[in-house]
Amino acid sequence: MFVGTEQLTHVYMPGTPFSTKALRDISFSFQKGEFALIIGPSGSGKSTLIQHLNGLLRPTSGRVIFEGKNIGRDKRDLLHLRRRIGLVFQMPEEQFFSETVFDEIAFAPRNQGFAENEVKIRVDEALEKTGLKGLDLKGRHPFQLSAGQKRLVAVAAVLSVNPEVLILDEPTVALDNTGRDNLFDLLTELNREEGLTVIISTHHLDEAAALASSVLVLKQGELVMSGPAEDIFSERDQLYNLGLALPPVNEIMHGIFEKGFSVNTSVYTLKEARREINKLIRRDKP
């Protein structure tokens, strides 16, 4: 197991009248280099779960595992973990606290004790990876940026320490089509070309589904489905019952099947859909 949990349970405000069990006996594992999705309706526990994966939250019971080892409570171990597993919040503003974009991205490598010349190199590399290097943003306040730029600066701040896992909570919130395209182009490159493990928590599947290798589905704090993406997205009725829409391509394939044509309804990427439709056309040719 590269990263995952064993019987993870989390209770907010335990022992009080406001006690709430947000997660119940969650067990799963992701392998190194995966592009994984954690999906579910609002309030299903997605954000609570991902905050356990880099130690921001600690289990009430159960375990969080990284590289086969239990994540303990030792402060030094947790700091080391957060350098290797980076988390980008749903609202980037929640993790900004520096006066300039440069200082925001530089904070983590400075905190790790890198010399200032190395810090500058890491900031430039992170800006280049996120496509922000040529925009002259270093001296600007992060709150002055567009929603898409804020998101990319938050990603750059995480990338500045070269993590092995990148986790994003609802990354498309407040982004326009261009912002979403830019973000997913970046995530695709980081995952497929640099081998970064990417984990996304979302209830919007439009872009993310085509990249996913594994999927977890949560409902009211419980893990109700897990497995390869093609298996999860073939369970149309079950996802509908959970209040989740299928990826658009997958929905189209189901529509074609319901018209009486024999196609694979577990298809959820444009490339696979094109292949299926071409097969159908060839079969129907006289």
Side-chain angles (χ1 to χ4, degrees), residues 2 44 49 76 89 102 119 140 186 206 258:
F2 182 57
S44 60
L49 177 57
R76 287 174 299 179
F89 295 162
F102 180 90
V119 169
R140 295 182 62 183
L186 169 63
D206 294 19
E258 289 168 357

Side-chain angles (χ1 to χ4, degrees), residues 32-87:
K32 190 170 185 176
E34 284 207 79
F35 196 115
L37 301 184
I38 301 174
I39 66 175
S42 297
S44 60
K46 302 186 300 295
S47 295
T48 299
L49 177 57
I50 63 172
Q51 288 181 57
H52 281 80
L53 299 182
N54 80 335
L56 285 180
L57 291 177
R58 305 300 302 142
T60 303
S61 63
R63 304 198 304 164
V64 179
I65 307 296
F66 181 59
E67 292 189 323
K69 298 178 181 178
N70 180 41
I71 297 174
R73 295 181 180 271
D74 183 86
K75 188 174 182 180
R76 287 174 299 179
D77 290 343
L78 290 175
L79 288 173
H80 180 65
L81 176 75
R82 289 167 192 157
R83 294 169 186 165
R84 302 179 68 189
I85 300 181
L87 172 61

Side-chain angles (χ1 to χ4, degrees), residues 125-145:
E125 287 178 345
L127 287 169
E128 185 169 4
K129 285 181 179 179
T130 52
L132 298 174
K133 189 173 182 180
L135 300 183
D136 195 25
L137 302 179
K138 289 183 182 179
R140 295 182 62 183
H141 197 291
F143 286 95
Q144 296 176 336
L145 306 180

Side-chain angles (χ1 to χ4, degrees), residues 235-254:
E235 299 293 339
R236 185 191 197 191
D237 292 342
Q238 195 168 349
L239 290 174
Y240 276 0
N241 290 337
L242 293 169
L244 297 172
L246 289 173
V249 171
N250 194 235
E251 188 67 76
I252 290 170
M253 299 308 293
H254 275 279

